[in-house]
Amino acid sequence: MLFKVIRLLFWGGLLTGALSGAAVAAFYHESLGELPDVAELKDVSFEIPMKIYTSDNKLIGEYGESKRLPVALNQIPLKLRQAFLAIEDNRFYEHNGIDPIGIMRAVVVALSNAEATQGASTITQQVARNFFLTREKTLQRKIKEIFISLRIEQILTKDEIFELYLNKISLGHRAYGVAAAAQTYYGKDLDSLTLAEMATIAGLPKAPSTLNPISNPERSRERRAVVLSRMLDLGYISQGEFDLANKAPYKAEFHSAPLEANAPYVAEKARQLVLQEYGDKAYTDGLEIYTSVRSDIQEYGQYAVFKGITEYDTRHGYRGPVLNIHSLPDFVASFENIYELLRSHDRYHYIRPNLVIGVDDQHKSALLKTRDGSEVPLTWEGMKWARTFKSDRNQGDAPKLPSEILHEGDLVYTHMSEDGVLTLTQLPEVEASLIALDPYTGQVLAMVGGYDFAKSKFDRTYQAKRQTGSNFKPFLYSAAVAKGISINSVFQDQPLRTWDPGSRTWWNPHNSPNRYDGIMTLREALARSKNVVSIRLIRQVGVKNAVEHVSKFGFNIPKSQQVESMALGSVEVTPLELCTGYATFANGGFKVEPYLITKIVRDGQVIFQHKPKYADPLAPETVKNSIKLVHEDNYVQDDEHYEQVLNHMNAYVVADIMRSVVYGGAGIQGNYWGTGGRAKKVTGREDLHGKTGTTNEVHDAWFSGFNGNIVATAWMGFDTDRNLGWSRAQGPEGGAYSALPIWAEFIKKAQQGVPEAPLPMPEGLAKCTNNGVTDWCLPRSSSVSAQDAVNNSIDDPFGEGGMVQNEVDTSTVEEDDIF
């Protein structure tokens, strides 16, 4: 009987073993079928973030769900490799991909709990799981992992497996691979890591979200000690190295990609454009995006915006500190707490947070603690500006002592002035933007959407539609020239009063300042930004004609804005649209298309290359000088040039009027200054053209201008319904005082050392004299006859039309086919 039982058990066991072996063999072959081929494993493609560069190849942005910086094994420091081997798989170079002891432990747990809740995976098994499997802890997945690991060991060398592992492993905070982790936690390249930092990174694979030195520094320190101990036991480090590393600082802070230039608004816009074209795969395909901006020109633009806003904020007074630590509940002023407080407020490009630790009225100074723990003095020169802010139109008296401004415990911002003086500043409430283009190609040269991207990601260069004020007037004057009105036609600068039957009220447009100077030419009226002359002019041109003409520049004016007040800039456009329109005056009459991305590269291959078109102001004339866009009979549009939308002479004449905005001129009643004279003073250049702009109640301040190299628009205002106000230091704000300094500062730097670039004068321009003022007159075109021009010049000399009759002096005319 016993023999029969033994025999049954023997054969039963043999059958069970055979069936189990068959099942295992079948499962093994099933797993083999799911393995990639050798070529795929040897040429693995990592998910690499999108990177964005300036035109001079400086990194300005990196975007992706995961941060990965693939590196070769020989680029990874030996000690870092040893740290991973010590804690993860010290027999890696000896086994065939499987650790039998770890497997047995996993099997025992699985048999007792029906789920594989423990395991001792080798590095090869982790590679198998990371590339081909999920992280679910089941016995079936564990067996499949083993089989795949065996296959991997057959087709890859140990070094190839280790390299894949060190580049693929998840290490927390979206960092994948050791190079990405080094950058994320320490802001370093691999070869700059200390032993303590290497041990910290090597300790992350077990639980990257809970063992990292940012989220859980104490647990990270404990894990680091385990790694260091294993390295010491295995002889990878000495006792002295262990002691030094074990005592090293253990906290870390998040580091973004090591950007080489600061252009966040440019990078964000480029990201959006690429995402529209390529979808979400753009974040993982390793695309390299090259933009049109040069890093130094972009920096000039950003600094100009910062400087202009800071000067405005300085004029309007000090609103107080960010906070005072004595008002923070349970705050202990330890070194670590102060460091963390200052670090959390250190987010901006030009300004730095400091803690006031002493105020000395006797010596008129204050003592500040910086983020790195050092102490620096703030002199009276750097804080005496700080009148108390009361409102946008009211500031307190000038302070006499530091204690009227600062108190111990204040957290304040400072910046270094151009004179090298540490200066008190504050995070502004006002905003500004600047956009600059190449007027001949449309290439974006600089793009600054606000004070700082960390303060506001809203890009005002292309997202903010604002009323333009007098910045829109040159387009109306261009319509007048297209209608045959000479720029030395004489208009009355006198008050207007018009009955509006719709609202049953009187409309009284007025100049700003509210001053009237009698008769003047159109050139002088634009240079001095006379509003009532612009109203009289649009009545001569006609609102419908003006709307049709300005559409050539790309402005699609809503029906509700097609009224006489558009002559004063009630039209709403973005700074980019306005700058593009001004480019048409600068380039001889061509409508350019702004572009930001020049090329896109993937795996070393160019997959997109922008083919720029060009505007040629010396090209043969293809457009007639008329309100409607009418091309010459022989016009043929080619693929290399932009479409001409404005007659060369019209573009040149209106641009030349805008010279008088900057440099002034001679009028009927004598010499005059233009509203943009500060541009010459700041830049020292003689080749500038531009126009100021201020909207009702000073909600918006503008300056747009150009020379033969560059066109730019600067804007300042609030994102809310708040006006720019008035200050004791300057008086009323406006285009000439708020926006022009930004524009001029940018042009000064961007054009420093660049030769004067006057606009080329088109052939055929004549001059005529009116009331003693000689100026440009366009030859007769097929759309405007000489008699039409004379008729335009004598309508309603002193009424609401307001034009005074021209007296054409034919002795000064260079061609007799003038109007």
Side-chain angles (χ1 to χ4, degrees), residues 121 442 737:
S121 298
Y737 307 109

Side-chain angles (χ1 to χ4, degrees), residues 644-710:
Q644 187 180 354
V645 297
L646 196 65
N647 181 273
H648 287 327
M649 288 181 283
N650 185 312
Y652 181 84
V653 166
V654 177
D656 194 62
I657 301 175
M658 286 189 273
R659 273 187 57 80
S660 297
V661 174
V662 178
Y663 303 104
I668 295 172
Q669 302 181 63
N671 294 337
Y672 58 84
W673 295 106
T675 58
R678 185 176 299 187
K680 177 186 177 182
K681 181 179 179 180
V682 173
T683 66
R685 298 186 69 89
E686 298 289 340
D687 60 352
L688 303 180
H689 312 247
K691 184 67 189 79
T692 54
T694 306
T695 60
N696 281 346
E697 304 299 330
V698 202
H699 279 93
D700 303 90
W702 297 84
F703 191 86
S704 297
F706 52 89
N707 64 7
N709 298 323
I710 191 169

Side-chain angles (χ1 to χ4, degrees), residues 524-598:
E524 182 177 352
L526 184 67
R528 299 175 66 184
S529 203
K530 293 292 188 175
N531 288 339
V532 295
V533 173
S534 290
I535 295 297
R536 289 187 161 100
L537 183 60
I538 200 171
R539 291 176 179 175
Q540 292 287 333
V541 172
V543 171
K544 183 178 179 180
N545 286 335
V547 169
E548 179 161 3
H549 183 76
V550 302
S551 68
K552 300 173 184 177
F553 299 88
F555 303 124
N556 297 313
I557 301 177
K559 190 71 175 177
S560 61
Q561 297 178 24
Q562 295 179 18
V563 292
E564 285 186 346
S565 63
M566 65 184 282
L568 306 182
S570 60
V571 174
E572 295 180 350
V573 300
T574 67
L576 177 59
E577 291 170 334
L578 200 57
C579 188
T580 304
Y582 270 74
T584 302
F585 295 125
N587 65 29
F590 296 86
K591 171 65 171 64
V592 299
E593 298 172 3
Y595 68 92
L596 180 64
I597 296 176
T598 57

